[in-house]
Structures are given as C-alpha cells and as structure tokens.
Amino acid sequence: MGQQQSKGELLFQQVNYGNIEGIKSLRNEGASLEWVDREAKTPLIAACMNPQLYNVAKALIELGADVNAYRPGRHAGTPLHHAAKRGLDQTVKLLLLNGANALVMNDDCQTPLDVARTKGFANVARAIESHLCLFSGWLRELYGPGFLELLAPQLLSRKIWVVVLPCGSHNFRKPFKLLLAIYASPQDARPRTIIALWKATMEEPNFNQHDPTVIISDISTKSRIKLAADNESDMQQLLSFCNACKGIPQVVHPTFPYINHGPPLTTTAPPTSEDVELAMAINASLQSLTHDRPPVLDAHPSTESNPSTSRTNTTPAPGPHKEEAGPSTNLAQTTLGGPTPASAPSAPPISVIDDGPIQYPSIDSGPIDISARAEQKKEDGGSGGSSSCVICLDAPVEGACIPCGHMAGCMSCLNEIKAKKWGCPVCRAKIDQVIRLYVV
C-alpha cells in the first residue's frame, strides 16, 4: 500500500492541473498553501513559472499565499524572480500589486530586476522600475566640450531614459542605497550606464540660468555625466531628478519601501554613572539659561487701527524654490525615509502682553558722548570672553558646535558630548564637528 498524500501535496497537484475550484476546496479543508515539493517550490512559485497559470496564481494570492516565499539554491528566489525570469509581465505586475518585495536578492545576488535585465525582458524591467523608482523619465545628456556646448548645444546633446531607484539588499534594516540607471531608450532591457549614487557627488543646477544642468561625478570611475531637462523650460523635471538623487521620491508609493523595518534598536549597555552625571549637568545648565533669560516682548504689537502695519511677517512668500550653484552635494549618505525632524528652538516662546494702550518712553535728544560709548564697548568686549562652560561651569567657553554654531562649552566637554552622540547642549542638534575659537 502506497503512502497517503497530504492535503498540501494534493493542492500542489491541483495547481499544476490549473484546477482553481479544487484548490479552493482543499484550502477550505485545511490544506497548506506553503507546501514545498522536492525542488523547494511552493504552489505560488509553480504557478508563477507557467504563463498559463496566471488565474491560478491570482487565486492563490487571494487565498493568502506568501508572495515573498523564498526558494533557496542557484537560479531560485521568490515568485517574483521566477516570473521575471520567464518574462511574465502580467504575473510580475500581479505580484507587485499584492506586496511582493522587488529588492530581495537570490542566492546569485540578483534582484528580480537584475534577472529581467539579464534575460532581456524590457517590459518586465519597466514594470519593476516603475514600481520601485524615485524618478524615471527623459533627460538630455550634454557630452561635448564646454565651448562647443555654447555654440551648438543641440548637436552635442542626446535624449536618454533615466531611472533612479534603490538597489537590492540582504539586510533591510540598513538604509537603502540608490542607483542611477541610464538607457538609450525605454525599449532597452539593459542600461547603458549604472552609477552608484552613494559613490558619487552631485553639482546642483543653477535655476537662474536659461538651461540649467546638473553634473553627476562618479568617484570610483572618475567619470562624470552632465544632464539637463528634456525641455529647456521644464525646470520642475530637473528639480524632481535632483530630489530623487537625494532620496526624495517623485511619487510616493503607499507601500514603499515594501519592508517592515521592525522596532528600533535599543542600546545594550546600561548608562554609566559618568554619563548620568554629564546629562544632569547639561539639564541643569539649560534650566539656568532658561530662567536667566529675560522674557521677549513683541516689539510691534498689533493694533486695530492699522492691521496691515502692525506686525512684520518674516515668512517667505510661496513660490518655486531656486537653488544657486554651489559646492557639490555628497550623495553617499542618501537614505530613503521620512523627512528629518527639525530641532527644537532654543529660545522660549514669545509672550505678548496686552494691557491697553502702549506708553512709549520719551526720546532723549541730547548730545551723545561717542568716546564714553567706545570705552564702555571695549570694557564689555574684554569681559565677554570670560563666559564659563555651560556643562562643567568651570572652564571658559572655547569651542563651537558645527553645524548649529552654538558656543556652549569648553573643548573637553564638547568633545565628550560629540563622542557620546548627545547633540548640542543648547539645541540638541547633531554635532558633526567641534572647532576651537580664539578671542582676539
């Protein structure tokens, strides 16, 4: 007597037969959707390997099959790998629509996009790129010498299809790295050039120019590429491309980045007594600074007689943002995620006192003794350099935190805070560098 087949094995056989009703019946009886055969194939992987089983794959996904089930070994991977390997663009779109992770790498270190490019399936490559990319579209590449670009820019430029997208990874807890893929046309499966943006720098365009350009320099290959908008008047397209290279998507996908990063990592070592004492000193210094600072009154209170001139609005008017060409931007730290929260302001909120009509002080129109003012200013300048460190309250202020610029303490305390990554003692902003200042 032969061994009785399990319900999962029977369901797998119904997949090969294309019997959707039999699959649903066995599933209702408790058959597993993740049963694997001798080749480590699940029912969904088997369905994604056959172009005739698209409806079967759809039914399995609706029943709850794992779209990211991994098949180990060479030339294996997830259902998306197998569908991309056979050029099944409709199956690929079905998997992506239902949460398939297009960044998973198989045992050959290839993503589904890499598999589609290798096999030459341009339609599958475009489907995966459109789901992953932060930017895709036509741009102009300027490839001639600078003096010839001024004389005949149309003759020394060509249209290229550009895609900015994250690359595959084995560890999805780390920030994603971005790639710039350049195609001669969207009909090409393999890109002409791929630039690793974490190994490149970007010289941002000057949007005040008639035809602004952006320059991407590849540090590893010592090469560079100069790009402009497809249409000279389309500044928004070039701005979207620059933002994508920095990790800002052109279109935000609701499921991006398609992987749950898990809970944040916590520190394993408990804080030492030295850390606790330093934290207490910082908090005490901040509180003393807050209490010693006088309240700031509104210098221009609003009145009902002239509301248009009652308060000066310092908020910039809305409009297109224009960037001046400056130092190149390093793209090595590009990550995909939410915007970085702004640091809390160091000054207390402005309090407005409304006690009726304002009584302005009288103005002294007498002569001003300039020499006395100069001597007083000199004395104030001489005593200003004796400010104490807000942390140890002993050593003089010697250094400033970069980039916030707060002169808050001595070099010893500031370097210790920077090493512990606690942030500026005034505004709590990240400290990239501590520089020593000299008072003359």
Side-chain angles (χ1 to χ4, degrees):
M1 173 180 274
Q3 185 178 3
Q4 185 177 4
Q5 292 179 319
S6 65
K7 293 182 180 180
E9 185 177 0
L10 292 174
L11 188 146
F12 190 94
Q13 292 179 352
Q14 297 302 316
V15 170
N16 292 327
Y17 299 151
N19 185 359
I20 297 178
E21 295 299 327
I23 294 172
K24 293 181 178 180
S25 176
L26 288 169
R27 178 57 177 168
N28 293 332
E29 296 177 5
S32 174
L33 295 174
E34 308 305 327
W35 185 87
V36 295
D37 64 355
R38 295 179 179 178
E39 298 178 351
K41 293 184 296 185
T42 64
L44 182 57
I45 289 179
C48 291
M49 297 173 65
N50 191 335
Q52 306 298 327
L53 299 180
Y54 172 83
N55 291 328
V56 175
K58 184 177 180 180
L60 288 171
I61 293 174
E62 292 174 351
L63 290 173
D66 185 6
V67 295
N68 291 312
Y70 189 81
R71 177 191 178 193
R74 290 183 56 82
H75 309 292
T78 63
L80 191 59
H81 281 91
H82 293 280
K85 184 178 181 179
R86 289 157 180 81
L88 308 181
D89 56 337
Q90 295 301 321
T91 305
V92 166
K93 294 177 182 178
L94 173 67
L95 292 170
L96 292 173
L97 189 62
N98 288 275
N101 185 0
L103 300 178
V104 174
M105 301 174 70
N106 59 13
D107 290 356
D108 297 323
C109 295
Q110 287 186 321
T111 64
L113 178 59
D114 297 330
V115 173
R117 288 172 174 173
T118 303
K119 294 297 181 179
F121 296 120
N123 54 342
V124 175
R126 295 295 86 77
I128 298 176
E129 287 177 348
S130 63
H131 189 76
L132 278 177
C133 69
L134 284 76
F135 174 88
S136 64
W138 289 105
L139 291 178
R140 283 183 297 121
E141 178 187 7
L142 307 177
Y143 56 89
F147 67 94
L148 290 179
E149 290 179 5
L150 298 176
L151 298 177
Q154 292 79 10
L155 300 178
L156 299 176
S157 64
R158 56 192 169 201
K159 294 180 64 175
I160 55 175
W161 182 259
V162 175
V163 181
V164 179
L165 72 166
C167 63
S169 174
H170 289 293
N171 187 357
F172 293 102
R173 289 184 176 270
K174 293 183 178 180
F176 289 100
K177 297 180 178 180
L178 298 180
L179 293 173
L180 172 61
I182 299 175
Y183 298 86
S185 69
Q187 286 72 34
D188 295 343
R190 298 184 181 183
R192 189 193 72 193
T193 305
I194 295 181
I195 299 177
L197 290 178
W198 68 91
K199 299 179 181 179
T201 58
M202 180 176 68
E203 184 177 335
E204 300 190 23
N206 182 359
F207 289 100
N208 292 325
Q209 297 178 354
H210 171 66
D211 189 14
T213 58
V214 58
I215 299 176
I216 306 292
S217 300
D218 192 342
I219 300 175
S220 58
T221 61
K222 307 295 183 182
S223 61
R224 68 179 214 160
I225 183 171
K226 192 173 185 179
L227 303 174
D230 181 30
N231 187 353
E232 294 182 3
S233 60
D234 193 358
M235 304 293 183
Q236 184 61 38
Q237 183 193 30
L238 192 61
L239 179 60
S240 300
F241 170 75
C242 295
N243 290 337
C245 292
K246 300 175 187 177
I248 305 173
Q250 182 182 19
V251 178
V252 179
H253 299 283
T255 57
F256 194 84
Y258 319 112
I259 279 293
N260 183 9
H261 289 262
L265 299 178
T266 58
T267 56
T268 56
T272 62
S273 59
E274 183 181 0
D275 294 341
V276 174
E277 292 176 359
L278 187 58
M280 293 174 62
I282 292 176
N283 291 332
S285 302
L286 290 177
Q287 291 177 3
S288 63
L289 288 176
T290 304
H291 292 311
D292 294 343
R293 184 182 292 113
V296 181
L297 301 180
D298 191 356
H300 302 281
S302 59
T303 58
E304 297 180 357
S305 60
N306 191 4
S308 62
T309 60
S310 61
R311 183 171 300 175
T312 304
N313 186 8
T314 58
T315 305
H321 177 65
K322 296 184 179 180
E323 301 182 12
E324 297 291 339
S328 58
T329 303
N330 192 347
L331 302 175
Q333 301 296 329
T334 301
T335 59
L336 301 180
T340 304
S343 59
S346 58
I350 297 176
S351 59
V352 181
I353 302 175
D354 188 8
D355 290 333
I358 301 174
Q359 302 295 332
Y360 292 99
S362 59
I363 300 176
D364 186 7
S365 58
I368 300 174
D369 189 355
I370 301 177
S371 60
R373 292 290 182 89
E375 291 178 0
Q376 183 180 0
K377 183 177 181 182
K378 183 176 180 180
E379 293 177 359
D380 295 340
S383 61
S386 61
S387 300
S388 300
C389 171
V390 299
I391 300 171
C392 65
L393 302 176
D394 185 15
V397 173
E398 300 173 322
C401 303
I402 303 301
C404 66
H406 284 120
M407 298 172 56
C410 61
M411 291 298 295
S412 176
C413 294
L414 291 180
N415 284 326
E416 187 175 357
I417 291 176
K418 179 179 180 295
K420 296 179 182 297
K421 299 181 180 179
W422 283 3
C424 173
V426 177
C427 65
R428 303 299 174 91
K430 180 183 176 183
I431 301 177
D432 294 336
Q433 184 182 4
V434 176
I435 61 173
R436 182 184 293 271
L437 301 178
Y438 299 92
V439 180
V440 180

